[in-house]
Amino acid sequence: KDAQVGKGQQVRGSKGSFAILVAADGSRVKLEGETVLEVIDFGNVRSFKLDKGMGMFQAAPGPARSFQVRTRSAVMGVRGTQFFVSYAPTGGDEWMCVKEGEVEVSSQKNESALTLVKAGQGVRVEASGKVTPPEKYAWTEKLKWDMDSPAARMDEELLKQSYDDVRVRNYD
């Protein structure tokens, strides 16, 4: 509780754990359960690597600071927004959705091919690196977007249903 996390450090959660990281500018990161997040930089450039689990990210609005989240397969860059990123419960896919603002998503294999994901939309990043087209999902509104309270834990059943919805869509 109330521990400081700095550049180059790793935050590891265990089953049932919950943490909220807060930067000096008000940016927030909410982590739950068996999540592993590396803080690449938490200063003017806010950069993270999500190695396992799920995280909800809220970039504080303001001057053109960089806010980036990397996963095994994707790179997500944002400006003054709130979004959710998770590894699939099974398989190597990842998925994300946006509550506010916009997020640029690219594959780690081709960072120049950007997919713009807007509020209410989500994408799946397949283990192969393919980013599916953005699509509006009703369940994004049901996620617990509160970034201040431990009572705002994610609903695991909703997350499972949400992932199933993303996974079964035919994107081809």
Side-chain angles (χ1 to χ4, degrees), residues 97-100 119-121 136-145 158:
C97 61
V98 179
K99 180 182 182 197
E100 301 169 349
Q121 294 181 326
K136 193 156 186 78
Y137 296 104
W139 51 260
T140 61
E141 294 300 317
K142 296 177 186 173
L143 290 175
K144 294 184 179 177
W145 292 99
L158 174 63

Side-chain angles (χ1 to χ4, degrees), residues 70-82:
R70 291 181 169 271
T71 62
R72 285 185 290 250
S73 302
V75 179
M76 290 152 249
V78 303
R79 287 158 209 81
T81 191
Q82 189 172 1

Side-chain angles (χ1 to χ4, degrees), residues 82-157:
Q82 189 172 1
F83 66 106
F84 175 77
V85 180
S86 179
Y87 283 98
T90 59
D93 292 354
E94 303 155 12
W95 56 284
M96 65 84 61
C97 61
V98 179
K99 180 182 182 197
E100 301 169 349
E102 299 175 337
V103 177
E104 291 178 338
V105 179
S106 67
S107 167
Q108 288 272 20
K109 295 178 180 178
N110 184 4
E111 291 188 36
S112 64
L114 299 174
T115 299
L116 186 64
V117 184
K118 297 181 179 181
Q121 294 181 326
V123 296
R124 179 176 57 153
V125 182
E126 297 174 356
S128 67
K130 176 184 175 189
V131 178
T132 62
E135 191 166 337
K136 193 156 186 78
Y137 296 104
W139 51 260
T140 61
E141 294 300 317
K142 296 177 186 173
L143 290 175
K144 294 184 179 177
W145 292 99
D146 178 4
M147 298 290 283
D148 297 313
S149 166
R153 290 181 176 266
M154 301 302 282
D155 179 336
E156 289 187 31
E157 185 57 33

